[in-house]
Amino acid sequence: MPDKLILKVKDMETHIGQYHILQGVNLEVPEGHVTVLIGRNGAGKTTTLRSIIGLTPPSKGSVEFNGQMIHGLPPYTIALKGMALVPEDQGIFSTLTVEENFKIAMQKEDKVTLERKDWILDVFPDLKPKLKQKAGGLSGGQKQMLSIGRSLVNDNKLLLIDEPSKGLAPIMVETLANAIKQIKSHTTVVLVEQNFWLASAVGERYYIIDDGQTVHEGVMEDLIKDKVLQQRYLGIGTKE
Amino acid sequence: MDIFVNLTIAGLATGMMYYLLSSGLSLIYGLMGVLNFAHGSVFMYGCYAGVYTFSKTGNFALGIIAAVVVGAIVGWVMERVVISKVYGQHLAQMLLTTGLMLLLNELIKIPFGSNILPAFQPESLQSSWQVGEVVIVKYRVFLIVLGLIVAVILNAIMSKTKLGMTVRAGVQNPEMVQVLGINIKKVFSFVFLLGSALSALGGALMAPALGAVNPEIGLMYQMTGFMVVVIGGMGSLTGTLLSALLVGLASSYTAYVYPDAATAVIVIVMIVVLLIKPSGLFGKGAE
């Protein structure tokens, strides 16, 4: 793999309370691509993302981001190094306006950032007429767009997106796929996704997480062909 | 009619003091989830700082400034040294802040003793205006105006500045605020300092209206403060303001009709509001 690695996770383990959630996660994420994490419910995909950005700090192992070791740092420091998370519940501030949701995320309010915001509004045109409205009034799909858009407003090098298709109508999932394809040209993406259609539409590399461990990795096209692997780890049936 | 106007002015003035006391409590609980049982003690320190400075210098404004500074310092030290260690641990917070309250209440007795300390209004505000049948006490008007000014400034901070935006966002989802690259602990410290300063300001302004202060005064007002916060809805300053005025008016009217029920009526207001809206007037509740 000739690409530069933006993120390298080695033997990461995470405990939450008395539970040993992650028991050895290894990831190598090449810059400029979409890497998909897949696996069953409860396999540890969300915890993997949360551990990388420091919300549930890993108890063992290392996380290297853009050449720096970041495990053990507080989340805000990691975020300032150029990483963003779009959480499963979207993390929208519903009492703030859409505009304020962008504003609070902006680390700088310079010309480049404002231009980036304009670009985001081009990618997600639905948000444009809603800027002055409270974010709580947005539809599920619009909230997801805001959440992803907000995470792009800084010059981030890596975007962690947790199950963006959850609860969205099929048509919105297609819009999302197009958006992620556009984002890819700006930022590296690590995507947790249960929706195999979306995962295969945007993903280039994949990792399968099972019981808190990375058990398989490869190129997305190979997984799409490999029905046995799909059935074994993803529970995807033979019916198409 | 004149009685009604007088009671209304008195109620609004008291309500404004409740607002100053409770706004900090509301922010601190709303943002950090900390039930601060030492908040009333900071209010009491504000009383003493204001009364003492005014009596020594003869300058009422200086007394108010002294109270705000003392409140800010006490609050900041309290947050840094004790409360920052127990974020997320509610039982520890309750026990520690209760301990702090007892400690602060005893410490004040070293310089001032446990007897009451008389508090005076500045001469310029001691008189009253006569409008027809109605006698308007100047000090009460002063309290209302000052309370309104503070409310307007606080509201501007919360709605116009990035700090205010961060606080509003943090009340809803502190984790997400961090993920956006903001050090929420710094915001916590600042809000604690601000809330404590407001409480002390409330104390300094309330003392002259009461005529005297004692070391237990914080404890007395703290319970009302908590009820105001619950009625208004945790974390909402607008809710706290409305609730404070509502409570001030309700107890003012009741005190005229049946003085013994002046405190009980606050509990009744709280019960009625919570029955209708369990998250309080402006509370967000679970979404």
Side-chain angles (χ1 to χ4, degrees), chain B:
Chain B
M1 185 60 201
D2 50 335
I3 288 291
F4 177 73
V5 174
N6 264 328
L7 290 175
T8 304
I9 291 173
L12 289 176
T14 315
M16 280 302 181
M17 295 310 97
Y18 288 155
Y19 170 64
L20 294 178
L21 169 66
S22 312
S23 51
L25 215 47
S26 173
L27 281 178
I28 290 167
Y29 185 81
L31 181 66
M32 303 172 240
V34 174
L35 277 172
N36 181 14
F37 284 100
H39 198 73
S41 300
V42 180
F43 177 86
M44 180 263 290
Y45 274 56
C47 292
Y48 275 89
V51 171
Y52 179 76
T53 310
F54 178 41
S55 73
K56 287 292 165 200
T57 63
N59 187 333
F60 190 66
L62 212 59
I64 290 176
I65 293 167
V68 171
V69 172
V70 167
I73 293 173
V74 173
W76 187 75
V77 172
M78 210 152 79
E79 197 272 341
R80 281 291 83 206
V81 177
V82 181
I83 294 168
S84 63
K85 310 284 186 271
V86 290
Y87 279 127
Q89 305 169 43
H90 291 287
L91 185 63
Q93 287 164 2
M94 275 190 248
L95 295 173
L96 274 171
T97 54
T98 307
L100 275 174
M101 172 195 77
L102 296 171
L103 181 72
L104 289 171
N105 290 4
E106 291 305 310
L107 281 178
I108 198 78
K109 292 176 188 168
I110 297 173
F112 292 105
S114 43
N115 290 333
I116 59 163
L117 183 72
F120 303 101
Q121 296 170 7
E123 231 165 89
S124 53
L125 295 172
Q126 274 175 6
S127 51
S128 43
W129 292 296
Q130 179 95 27
V131 183
E133 295 284 292
V134 186
V135 179
I136 300 172
V137 181
K138 276 187 187 172
Y139 192 74
R140 285 181 185 156
V141 177
F142 166 73
L143 290 184
I144 295 171
V145 172
L146 207 68
L148 275 177
I149 292 172
V150 172
V152 168
I153 293 174
L154 265 188
N155 195 5
I157 293 176
M158 291 298 281
S159 61
K160 299 277 186 282
T161 68
K162 181 144 183 182
L163 177 79
M165 214 187 281
T166 311
V167 172
R168 280 185 289 143
V171 166
Q172 202 184 353
N173 190 343
E175 200 171 70
M176 196 62 217
V177 170
Q178 292 227 65
V179 171
L180 293 176
I182 297 163
N183 185 354
I184 194 112
K185 286 188 181 152
K186 274 194 181 161
V187 183
F188 281 4
S189 292
F190 177 77
V191 168
F192 215 95
L193 181 150
L194 178 71
S196 302
L198 285 170
S199 179
L201 172 66
L205 293 171
M206 186 73 143
L210 298 169
V213 297
N214 66 67
E216 309 305 324
I217 193 169
L219 201 53
M220 280 159 52
Y221 280 94
Q222 177 161 299
M223 281 331 285
T224 314
F226 273 119
M227 286 191 272
V228 167
V229 172
V230 170
I231 295 169
M234 304 277 188
S236 162
L237 283 180
T238 316
T240 306
L241 178 62
L242 283 182
S243 158
L245 295 179
L246 183 71
V247 165
L249 287 172
S251 52
S252 173
Y253 296 142
T254 314
Y256 177 72
V257 185
Y258 185 54
D260 287 348
T263 308
V265 77
I266 303 175
V267 181
I268 295 169
V269 170
M270 181 168 77
I271 292 170
V272 171
V273 169
L274 293 187
L275 278 176
I276 299 165
K277 197 160 181 291
S279 57
L281 292 174
F282 278 71
K284 294 291 172 294
E287 285 187 35

Side-chain angles (χ1 to χ4, degrees), chain A residues 3-240:
Chain A
D3 297 294
K4 181 194 165 202
L5 291 180
I6 186 86
L7 179 76
K8 209 170 152 187
V9 177
K10 216 165 164 257
D11 300 324
M12 182 167 73
E13 297 191 22
T14 299
H15 290 79
I16 299 178
Q18 56 177 325
Y19 301 104
H20 195 179
I21 309 283
L22 299 184
Q23 311 184 7
V25 169
N26 289 282
L27 299 172
E28 292 194 337
V29 177
E31 193 163 29
H33 294 279
V34 178
T35 303
V36 187
L37 308 185
I38 35 191
R40 291 198 178 89
N41 275 333
K45 305 183 297 293
T46 296
T47 309
T48 299
L49 296 190
R50 289 172 58 85
S51 294
I52 291 170
I53 205 161
L55 286 172
T56 49
S59 36
K60 266 190 203 152
S62 66
V63 182
E64 188 182 335
F65 173 53
N66 204 24
Q68 287 174 292
M69 288 299 180
I70 57 161
H71 51 276
L73 296 177
Y76 73 93
T77 314
I78 297 177
L80 290 176
K81 288 182 187 294
M83 195 189 291
L85 170 72
V86 177
E88 207 172 352
D89 65 0
Q90 300 155 347
I92 292 301
F93 304 117
S94 57
T95 53
L96 272 60
T97 65
V98 173
E99 177 109 67
E100 286 175 328
N101 267 277
F102 276 113
K103 230 174 178 170
I104 191 172
M106 288 183 192
Q107 283 153 18
K108 284 181 243 158
E109 279 189 51
D110 52 4
K111 199 165 153 261
V112 196
T113 308
L114 295 174
E115 277 172 12
R116 220 167 11 237
K117 191 181 139 201
D118 289 340
W119 169 73
I120 292 165
L121 291 175
D122 286 338
V123 179
F124 301 117
D126 282 17
L127 295 177
K128 245 183 218 171
K130 309 269 181 186
L131 280 173
K132 300 281 173 217
Q133 294 179 23
K134 288 263 192 288
L138 297 179
S139 73
Q142 290 164 342
K143 278 184 187 160
Q144 192 56 262
M145 291 172 185
L146 174 58
S147 187
I148 295 176
R150 186 178 64 179
S151 68
L152 290 168
V153 82
N154 298 304
D155 186 20
N156 284 322
K157 296 181 189 71
L158 177 66
L159 189 53
L160 312 172
I161 312 181
D162 197 355
E163 278 210 55
S165 73
K166 202 176 174 186
L168 294 191
I171 179 96
M172 285 307 303
V173 178
E174 267 178 60
T175 315
L176 202 62
N178 288 329
I180 293 173
K181 281 178 190 162
Q182 287 187 62
I183 290 164
K184 201 169 78 172
S185 58
H186 286 65
T187 316
T188 310
V189 176
V190 172
L191 177 71
V192 162
E193 191 49 71
Q194 297 259 55
N195 181 322
F196 195 68
W197 179 84
L198 180 61
S200 51
V202 301
E204 289 153 293
R205 293 190 54 78
Y206 75 90
Y207 279 88
I208 294 177
I209 299 185
D210 200 42
D211 279 337
Q213 291 174 318
T214 33
V215 291
H216 230 281
E217 62 163 296
V219 181
M220 201 65 209
E221 285 144 26
D222 296 342
L223 180 65
I224 294 172
K225 289 182 214 136
D226 194 338
K227 301 287 178 203
V228 180
L229 199 61
Q230 286 180 28
Q231 188 152 19
R232 180 157 164 218
Y233 288 114
L234 310 176
I236 297 171
T238 39
K239 64 176 165 56
E240 191 55 66

